[in-house]
Amino acid sequence: MALKLFLLFVQSIDVLFIRKKYIVFGSRAGRGYADNAKYLYEYYLSRGKEVYFITRNKKELYNIPGEPIYAYSLKAAYIMLRSKTLFCTHGRSDFFPYKLKPIYGREVINLYHGIPVKKVGDRSPRQRREIRHWNKFIVSSDFEAEFLSKQFEMDLNRFLVVGQPRTDKLWEYKQPQTGRANSLILYAPTFRDQDCVRLFPFEDVDLHSIDKFLKLNNQEIHIRVHPNDEKYFRDLGYNEKYENIKVVNPAEEPSINDVLHRYGKLITDYSGIALDFLILDRPIAYIPYDYSSYEKHRGFSYNYHEHLAGVILTNQVDLFNFLETEDNAISNKRNAMLLKFHKFRDGKSSERIYEIFEAKN
C-alpha cells in the first residue's frame, strides 16, 4: 500500500518537473540487463554521456557498468521524474514500478528485442494504451516497419529504420569459422504459449545416435531454450546423459548476441535469432514441426516459408546431412534475406540512434 501511494505521488508531481534532462534505459520489465537497451547504453557510456540503467533486480546491479539505479529508491524516482529520454526493449514496464507518460519533451523509445518472426501485435486494449506512449519504434528495415505498422496500428513515421544495437558487434565476425567455432551448433527453439517446446521432434529420433554422430564429427549442440523451459530440460538430464548435447543456462548468457558468433551453424524454428544469424552468413536449419498449430494460436509477422534462409529438417537423416554439409548452395538465399531484413549492414546502429537523439539536444 505504501509503495502504491508513493507511485501515485510520483505520477502526480511529474508535471512539476518541467526541465527534463536524464537518459534512462530499462529492459525486460525492469528485471534484466540485456538486449538492445544494454548495447545502446554501453555505447552511450563509451561516448562519455551521463546515462542511467534502471532495474528492480538487486543482483543485476553488480553486472551493469556506469550508473545503474535501483528502481525502489528515491534516486530512481528523482531520475525518472527528470527523465528526458526513456529507452526500453518491451515497453514502459521496463521502468517498473514507474509508468510515466511522455510529457514536457520526454520521449519513450522502444528499441524492442529482435526482429519479430511471430506476430506481436494483439490489438488488445492494454497493448493499444501502451503503444500510444511510444514516440518512436526502432526497426532494421522498411519491410519490418511495414508489417509492424499494421500489427501495432502505428503510423510509419513513428518508426526509425536504423538497425538494432544488439547486432552491431556481429558484423565484426562475418567470416568463415574454423576450429572450435565451426564445431559448435546452436539449437535455439522459440517459446510456445500453449505447450512446452519439443526438442528433436522426429519420429526416428535417437538421441544416443545423435550424440555419437556429433562425437565422431567433433561437434557439439548447445540447446538454448526459453528461461521458462530451461529447468524442465535440465531436469531431464541432457547434460548428464549426453556428451555432445548440452542444455545451456540462459542466466549465464543473458544476451545471446554476446556469444552468437561462436557458433558455426544454427538450428531454430520461429525465433528471430535466425534473422540476426544472417549477418554471420553461416548455415541455418529450421524445425517447424508444429507450424499449423503455431500459426493458429500465435501467428506470423509475414509469410514464414517464403522467408526461410536455410533447409527444413523433418527427420534425423536431415539433421545429419545438415551437420556434415557446408550448405554453400543456400548462401544466395541467406544474402537475399539479409538485404531484406537489414537495411544497414555496417555495424553502426548504435551510432545512428545516438546521433539522432543527440541532435535534438
Side-chain angles (χ1 to χ4, degrees):
M1 179 59 74
L3 177 61
K4 243 181 205 182
L5 291 173
F6 175 71
L7 293 175
L8 285 172
F9 173 70
V10 169
Q11 290 178 354
S12 68
I13 65 172
D14 192 24
V15 294
L16 302 178
F17 288 77
I18 298 175
R19 296 183 62 189
K20 310 293 186 184
K21 63 175 287 189
Y22 296 121
I23 300 171
V24 186
F25 293 79
S27 180
R28 298 184 179 179
R31 295 189 179 93
Y33 176 62
D35 234 299
N36 283 316
K38 168 185 182 292
Y39 296 105
L40 185 59
Y41 170 72
E42 291 178 1
Y43 181 82
Y44 267 80
L45 287 179
S46 73
R47 298 292 294 261
K49 292 296 179 178
E50 181 184 8
V51 290
Y52 298 89
F53 203 105
I54 189 170
T55 180
R56 53 173 156 161
N57 183 348
K58 277 191 173 182
K59 292 181 180 178
E60 201 68 86
L61 289 170
Y62 300 101
N63 300 320
I64 303 174
E67 290 285 342
I69 50 175
Y70 183 51
Y72 301 112
S73 68
L74 290 176
K75 180 179 180 180
Y78 176 75
I79 294 295
M80 289 299 294
L81 284 168
R82 296 202 61 193
S83 61
K84 174 183 66 175
T85 309
L86 299 176
F87 286 109
C88 59
T89 60
H90 290 71
R92 290 181 304 146
S93 62
D94 292 346
F95 308 100
F96 188 90
Y98 309 97
K99 274 203 171 184
L100 302 181
K101 298 177 181 179
I103 59 174
Y104 294 120
R106 177 189 291 132
E107 291 186 293
V108 178
I109 314 301
N110 197 330
L111 303 169
Y112 211 57
H113 48 282
I115 304 173
V117 176
K118 45 190 175 286
K119 192 174 180 181
V120 292
D122 60 17
R123 300 185 179 179
S124 64
R126 180 179 180 181
Q127 187 180 71
R128 288 183 177 185
R129 286 194 299 271
E130 173 61 26
I131 288 172
R132 285 201 298 266
H133 297 297
W134 301 344
N135 296 88
K136 295 294 181 181
F137 194 102
I138 302 301
V139 293
S140 295
S141 66
D142 295 316
F143 178 59
E144 184 185 1
E146 288 168 7
F147 68 69
L148 284 179
S149 174
K150 294 175 183 177
Q151 286 187 44
F152 289 143
E153 298 180 320
M154 287 173 59
D155 290 338
L156 278 171
N157 60 16
R158 290 170 65 190
F159 291 87
L160 287 179
V161 184
V162 290
Q164 298 194 48
R166 63 184 255 160
T167 65
D168 282 349
K169 289 186 179 179
L170 289 179
W171 293 97
E172 301 173 12
Y173 298 98
K174 189 177 180 180
Q175 57 189 3
Q177 293 298 290
T178 58
R180 177 66 173 166
N182 200 42
S183 69
L184 295 179
I185 296 94
L186 177 63
Y187 183 7
T190 198
F191 179 70
R192 267 72 173 168
D193 296 315
Q194 305 296 321
D195 304 295
C196 185
V197 64
R198 289 171 54 201
L199 299 179
F200 305 103
F202 311 131
E203 290 185 7
D204 59 345
V205 67
D206 181 342
L207 291 176
H208 289 286
S209 175
I210 294 175
D211 193 42
K212 183 178 179 181
F213 181 92
L214 292 167
K215 186 175 182 179
L216 289 172
N217 287 275
N218 191 32
Q219 294 175 314
E220 283 185 16
I221 289 180
H222 290 183
I223 303 170
R224 185 186 175 100
V225 293
H226 191 275
N228 291 350
D229 294 334
E230 185 263 340
K231 185 178 184 302
Y232 169 77
F233 287 107
R234 274 189 176 272
D235 289 346
L236 289 180
Y238 272 78
N239 293 2
E240 291 73 36
K241 293 178 183 177
Y242 310 110
E243 185 179 346
N244 296 279
I245 304 174
K246 302 296 181 183
V247 177
V248 299
N249 185 354
E252 296 173 359
E253 298 172 349
S255 293
I256 182 60
N257 285 57
D258 282 344
V259 297
L260 198 57
H261 66 277
R262 299 177 188 172
Y263 295 97
K265 295 184 179 184
L266 171 69
I267 301 171
T268 186
D269 42 34
Y270 322 119
S271 172
I273 196 173
L275 301 177
D276 288 356
F277 204 71
L278 287 172
I279 294 170
L280 300 173
D281 192 24
R282 300 174 193 172
I284 303 171
Y286 303 85
I287 309 180
Y289 69 91
D290 57 349
Y291 172 80
S292 297
S293 173
Y294 201 87
E295 182 180 39
K296 178 182 178 181
H297 292 105
R298 183 64 185 263
F300 294 92
S301 292
Y302 47 81
N303 188 305
Y304 173 76
H305 286 97
E306 287 184 3
H307 294 86
L308 297 182
V311 297
I312 290 179
L313 309 181
T314 59
N315 54 52
Q316 191 160 295
V317 175
D318 289 345
L319 174 64
F320 288 166
N321 288 336
F322 173 71
L323 293 176
E324 63 183 359
T325 303
E326 287 302 315
D327 199 30
N328 291 326
I330 310 294
S331 183
N332 288 340
K333 181 66 173 176
R334 290 199 298 268
N335 189 58
M337 291 300 102
L338 177 72
L339 296 178
K340 187 165 190 175
F341 284 97
H342 298 275
K343 182 175 183 177
F344 297 99
R345 298 171 291 280
D346 54 9
K348 295 182 179 181
S349 299
S350 295
E351 181 179 330
R352 274 186 288 276
I353 297 170
Y354 175 86
E355 295 295 342
I356 288 172
F357 289 99
E358 281 300 301
K360 295 182 178 184
N361 294 338

